[in-house]
Amino acid sequence: EVGLGLMLCSKNFISVETISESIQEINIEEVLTNNNGEETPTAIKVYDIVDIYESKSPDDLKEKVKKASYTYDAIVFNGGDGSFNDVCCVISGCERRPTLGYIPTGTTNDIAHNLKIPRNVKKAVKDIVDQVSIKHDVSKINDAYFMYVLAIGAGTSTSYTTKQAVKRALGRFGYVRNFLEEFASRDLIDVKLS
């Protein structure tokens, strides 16, 4: 049965690092809705309605996902591990949980690697359109959901505090640099175990 689909984007035009490490501009909306004469079906052929929304911030993305969960049968989104975690955590707390489609466009894309989701945008979209399904565990502590990592201690905020410009310039090493800076600036405390 054909239903409603929603595409959420952090940006409609995104820069994706390819295997050759060159940067290519990809128009997510174009890839999702126009097959350019190729045999690959598009979301337009799978869903009656495909709405495209460009989120303004991580909080805006979470708010839109929550509202969309009541209306749409599928929510497709792009981003990195943080966006994946945010969207999945929001949906986990909703009464109605639409199917999620993920297009990995972040710096590291660990979760895409773990779930064998293609980093190539067109291949990821093809899997979504072909409705390739993957089950994933969700965990909850108190009222907070998390997807695949729960951490405490020094350095746990590194992935959230590393600036986008640093990630663009240094890739994964941006996280290492940020961790070392944070670690070096921490005040040490004396602890007595008894």
Side-chain angles (χ1 to χ4, degrees):
E1 184 176 308
V2 178
L4 300 173
L6 173 67
M7 173 68 184
L8 292 166
C9 309
S10 59
K11 293 183 201 167
N12 194 27
F13 285 93
I14 58 166
S15 294
V16 180
E17 190 173 330
T18 61
I19 293 171
S20 65
E21 297 185 6
S22 62
I23 300 296
Q24 59 180 342
E25 286 286 314
I26 295 182
N27 182 329
I28 292 285
E29 181 177 356
E30 184 71 21
V31 172
L32 193 69
T33 60
N34 182 1
N35 67 0
N36 295 320
E38 297 174 18
E39 293 298 316
T40 304
T42 64
I44 297 284
K45 294 180 182 176
V46 176
Y47 298 103
D48 285 332
I49 297 171
V50 176
D51 292 323
I52 309 287
Y53 176 79
E54 184 176 336
S55 66
K56 314 294 185 268
S57 68
D59 287 338
D60 180 52
L61 177 66
K62 291 186 272 190
E63 183 180 321
K64 190 68 174 181
V65 165
K66 188 171 187 175
K67 287 180 183 175
S69 72
Y70 296 102
T71 308
Y72 294 92
D73 298 311
I75 297 174
V76 177
F77 64 99
N78 73 292
D81 296 325
S83 297
F84 180 89
N85 186 66
D86 288 347
V87 169
C88 291
C89 287
V90 167
I91 289 297
S92 295
C94 294
E95 285 182 35
R96 186 173 180 277
R97 296 181 183 136
T99 301
L100 298 177
Y102 173 54
I103 304 169
T105 57
T107 306
T108 306
N109 299 310
D110 282 336
I111 194 68
H113 176 77
N114 293 343
L115 297 176
K116 296 179 179 34
I117 298 170
R119 275 196 69 181
N120 177 286
V121 172
K122 289 183 181 182
K123 288 180 182 176
V125 169
K126 182 179 183 323
D127 280 0
I128 291 166
V129 171
D130 290 346
Q131 298 181 354
V132 173
S133 180
I134 300 168
K135 299 277 187 191
H136 190 283
D137 291 333
V138 177
S139 301
K140 183 178 180 183
I141 293 181
N142 297 327
D143 293 327
Y145 292 96
F146 65 97
M147 294 296 103
Y148 65 105
V149 174
L150 174 67
I152 59 172
T156 57
S157 64
T158 299
S159 62
Y160 298 100
T161 59
T162 303
K163 302 286 185 220
Q164 198 64 37
V166 173
K167 291 191 283 185
R168 271 191 227 107
L170 300 176
R172 293 177 183 195
F173 293 108
Y175 293 114
V176 174
R177 177 180 172 241
N178 191 42
F179 169 76
L180 292 173
E181 286 177 357
E182 286 183 12
F183 191 76
S185 67
R186 293 206 181 264
D187 292 329
L188 299 178
I189 59 172
D190 291 324
V191 176
K192 180 179 180 182
L193 299 175
S194 53

